[in-house]
């Protein structure tokens, strides 16, 4: 089994009309054995910026802490918030610094830029970024997630519809993956704030 | 940066609490050729007197006003070679910033890191302070024009308009009288040239001064060509 599949994860971020949503499962496993069903993989960096980290759990937590570190220093020095585009680049840089001994995570970044337009990016474990305007996925069920998103996604969805679409895509994807599932969390980000909900899914 | 044999600083406190090396560095600045800067509502202008010792000197190859990145530039008064080291460091730090953040380094951040370098040289082993004061001009992503002075000690100040170097007292008095908060870039350039001319020894031409501007319209810093400077000089007379 690959090191990126050791703990299991399924994370999707999707763009709507002046909103983004990001959802992740909450399973923490040690290969086949499930150890926790409340493990956080999506982290709020500020009211308009979320990052989802899929991969080795220890690196998920470490990278979250390192990102917070870099973000805090930036905000203190520059006296302004980090925009999603800049944050994505900081993350990419952080990962490439460990090019020959990487963090085993494959992140997705979801946020709203200064003009409240959605921003999405995903990258591999050494920081190669991809920027999309529809959706990004990461984790152990990417095949399933790409299929679900490609089928269910349509552009310019309002927050409520975006939530429904994203939730259905995630739930259906994790059901056919042994290593992800056991509950899920969805965050919908608009200029007026964040709405977070827990999904009830199959507990197997 | 400093020989390992010199593990002690050469800049030490006097009994009265002064750092004499920094005072002396400021003297070197005060003996340098005059430079000034004016912040307008829609841009910033910086200018300097680059009058050289002999008519045989080819002034075209002397660059005193230098761009650091697309949005900022600087000029100095004091020891030229020291200035060039700082320009190099500032340019490199701008590029490092861009690599990390994919955004142009804001002027305020540039000033802070340059000032930090200058401060290091007042406390590190085996080195002396830089013999220059810098005037850094630029416009950030927020669209607000900015002008900063950085001294050999590493202290930095934001200015609406200021002058440094030989004639700075008279030049600043002149600027204080003429500056208005709503001054526009075109007027600011004219005022800068008039201020320079006040203390100028001999005739001021487009060959013996250098002017740099950054305007809100395009957000880019550039050094004016001699013919552009000549146009401004012609308008002034």
């Amino acid at each position: 089994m690959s090191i990126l599949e050791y703990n299991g994860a399924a994370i999707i971020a999707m763009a709507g009309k002046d909103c983004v949503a990001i959802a992740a499962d909450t399973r923490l496993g040690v290969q086949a054995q499930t150890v926790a069903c409340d493990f956080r993989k999506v982290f709020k960096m500020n009211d308009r910026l979320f990052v989802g980290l899929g991969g080795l759990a220890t690196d998920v937590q470490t990278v979250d802490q390192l990102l917070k570190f870099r973000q805090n220093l930036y905000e203190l020095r520059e006296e302004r918030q980090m925009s999603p585009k800049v944050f994505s680049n900081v993350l990419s840089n952080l990962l490439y610094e460990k090019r020959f001994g990487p963090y085993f995570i494959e992140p997705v970044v979801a946020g709203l830029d200064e003009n409240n337009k959605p921003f999405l990016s995903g990258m591999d474990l050494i920081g190669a970024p991809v920027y999309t305007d529809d959706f990004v996925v990461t984790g152990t069920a990417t095949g399933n997630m790409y299929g679900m998103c490609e089928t269910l996604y349509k552009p310019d969805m309002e927050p409520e519809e975006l939530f429904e679409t994203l939730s259905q895509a995630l739930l259906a994807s994790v059901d056919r993956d042994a290593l992800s599932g056991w509950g899920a969390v969805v965050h919908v980000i608009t200029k007026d704030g964040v709405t977070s909900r827990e999904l009830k899914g199959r507990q197997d | 940066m400093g020989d390992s044999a010199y593990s002690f600083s050469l800049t030490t406190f006097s009994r009265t609490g002064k750092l004499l090396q920094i005072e002396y560095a400021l003297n070197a600045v005060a003996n340098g050729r005059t430079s000034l800067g004016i912040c307008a509502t829609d841009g910033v202008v910086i200018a300097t007197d680059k009058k050289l010792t002999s008519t045989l000197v080819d002034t075209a190859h002397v660059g005193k006003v230098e761009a650091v990145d697309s949005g900022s530039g600087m000029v100095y008064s004091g020891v030229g070679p020291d200035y060039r080291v700082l320009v190099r460091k500032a340019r490199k730090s701008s590029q490092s910033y861009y690599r990390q953040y994919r955004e142009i380094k804001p002027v305020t951040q540039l000033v802070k890191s340059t000032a930090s370098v200058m401060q290091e040289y007042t406390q590190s082993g085996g080195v002396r302070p830089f013999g220059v004061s810098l005037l850094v001009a630029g416009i950030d992503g927020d669209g607000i024009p900015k002008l900063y002075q950085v001294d050999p000690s590493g202290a930095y100040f934001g200015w609406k308009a200021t002058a440094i170097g030989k004639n700075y007292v008279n030049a600043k008095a002149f600027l204080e009288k003429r500056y208005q908060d709503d001054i526009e870039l075109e007027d600011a350039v004219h005022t800068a040239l008039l201020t320079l001319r006040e203390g100028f020894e001999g005739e001021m031409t487009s060959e013996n001064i250098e002017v740099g501007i950054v305007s809100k319209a395009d957000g880019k810093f550039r050094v004016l060509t001699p013919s552009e400077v000549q146009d401004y000089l012609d308008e002034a007379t």
Side-chain angles (χ1 to χ4, degrees):
Chain A
M1 178 189 275
S2 141
I3 187 76
L4 284 167
E5 291 163 19
Y6 189 75
N7 296 124
I11 310 177
I12 308 178
M14 239 184 222
K17 188 148 177 63
D18 296 337
C19 59
V20 278
I22 182 166
D25 72 320
T26 47
R27 177 182 181 271
L28 174 71
V30 173
Q31 297 195 301
Q33 167 79 59
T34 300
V35 165
C37 17
D38 58 356
F39 187 74
R40 278 196 320 135
K41 301 164 197 177
V42 176
F43 303 95
K44 177 166 119 160
M45 304 316 291
N46 67 50
D47 279 332
R48 301 147 63 85
L49 179 58
F50 276 71
V51 64
L53 302 168
L56 196 61
T58 177
D59 288 347
V60 165
Q61 295 188 323
T62 302
V63 170
D64 165 48
Q65 289 162 8
L66 289 172
L67 284 171
K68 204 67 213 153
F69 175 97
R70 293 203 184 191
Q71 187 196 24
N72 282 342
L73 280 178
Y74 180 97
E75 293 191 351
L76 283 166
R77 269 191 231 115
E78 308 238 350
E79 291 173 68
R80 60 181 173 139
Q81 289 207 315
M82 216 188 244
S83 71
K85 179 175 86 87
V86 168
F87 181 86
S88 181
N89 225 65
V90 167
L91 176 51
S92 171
N93 218 48
L94 189 159
L95 295 175
Y96 196 82
E97 275 174 8
K98 298 277 187 226
R99 171 64 177 80
F100 300 110
Y103 292 113
F104 294 109
I105 56 146
E106 293 188 320
V108 297
V109 177
L112 293 175
D113 68 15
E114 301 83 36
N115 305 317
N116 294 319
K117 291 284 161 247
F119 175 90
L120 290 175
S121 80
M123 57 194 86
D124 68 5
L125 76 171
I126 46 175
V130 69
Y131 305 101
T132 66
D133 53 14
D134 44 17
F135 50 84
V136 275
V137 306
T138 186
T140 49
T142 48
N144 303 352
M145 291 187 281
Y146 275 124
M148 289 307 303
C149 287
E150 205 64 61
T151 311
L152 297 181
Y153 180 82
K154 47 188 214 283
D156 291 325
M157 283 183 278
E158 294 294 327
E160 295 74 30
E161 202 190 347
L162 183 64
F163 167 75
E164 286 301 330
T165 308
L166 180 52
S167 303
Q168 294 301 339
L170 185 69
L171 250 28
S173 303
V174 304
D175 283 349
R176 278 282 186 181
D177 176 31
L179 301 173
S180 56
W182 282 90
V185 171
V186 188
H187 306 277
V188 182
I189 306 130
T190 65
K191 66 171 176 22
D192 302 317
V194 180
T195 318
S196 303
R197 301 181 183 89
E198 283 174 7
L199 299 182
K200 257 188 4 197
R202 290 180 62 98
Q203 301 290 307
D204 64 358
Chain B
M1 208 194 61
D3 207 350
S4 58
Y6 274 91
S7 61
F8 52 89
S9 172
L10 302 175
T11 307
T12 47
F13 282 108
S14 74
R15 284 237 170 89
T16 57
K18 287 204 227 179
L19 289 165
L20 287 169
Q21 277 301 295
I22 296 178
E23 304 271 323
Y24 301 155
L26 285 164
N27 288 346
V29 172
N31 289 336
R33 307 225 69 95
T34 315
S35 300
L36 53 85
I38 304 178
C39 213
T41 53
D42 57 340
V44 194
V45 55
I46 49 177
T48 185
D49 155 11
K50 68 171 176 180
K51 194 151 163 278
L52 291 146
T53 45
S54 148
T55 48
L56 293 173
V57 179
D58 187 353
T59 54
H61 297 144
V62 175
K64 289 186 68 177
V65 177
E66 299 270 31
V68 170
D69 202 336
S70 58
S72 46
M74 52 169 102
V75 73
Y76 76 102
S77 285
V79 180
D82 285 8
Y83 170 68
R84 285 196 284 279
V85 169
L86 288 169
V87 169
R88 233 180 138 75
K89 283 187 195 264
R91 285 173 171 165
K92 192 170 183 188
S93 117
S94 269
Q95 294 306 313
S96 294
Y97 185 96
Y98 189 79
R99 261 214 88 227
Q100 253 232 328
Y101 299 108
R102 267 272 191 112
E103 244 186 24
I104 309 249
K105 187 165 190 172
V107 187
T108 31
Q109 297 303 307
L110 180 66
V111 164
K112 285 182 193 183
S113 42
T114 308
S116 174
V117 167
M118 291 169 87
Q119 191 281 340
E120 271 171 36
Y121 277 67
T122 68
Q123 232 180 349
S124 302
V127 296
R128 59 161 176 81
F130 288 95
V132 294
S133 277
L134 304 170
L135 288 178
V136 185
I139 298 193
D140 295 337
D142 61 7
I144 304 176
K146 297 185 179 74
L147 174 67
Y148 288 93
Q149 173 182 345
V150 193
D151 275 350
S153 58
Y156 59 89
F157 321 94
W159 289 99
K160 297 181 189 177
T162 189
I164 51 176
K166 249 193 176 61
N167 198 35
Y168 83 97
V169 178
N170 292 335
K172 272 176 89 162
F174 192 85
L175 284 170
E176 252 172 73
K177 266 185 260 152
R178 294 199 160 226
Y179 185 81
Q180 273 139 9
D181 282 330
D182 58 358
I183 193 171
E184 285 181 0
L185 188 57
E186 286 297 299
D187 283 327
V189 179
H190 285 124
T191 309
L193 292 173
L194 285 169
T195 317
L196 264 184
R197 182 175 277 151
E198 277 294 295
F200 211 87
E201 298 145 22
E203 205 204 326
M204 191 167 89
T205 71
S206 60
E207 300 296 318
N208 55 25
I209 59 168
E210 216 171 294
V211 181
I213 59 166
V214 54
S215 102
K216 214 163 155 179
D218 61 2
K220 301 254 177 297
F221 181 88
R222 59 190 194 81
V223 182
L224 296 182
T225 62
S227 62
E228 283 172 312
V229 175
Q230 191 57 51
D231 290 337
Y232 279 108
L233 283 172
D234 294 336
E235 279 172 38
T237 49

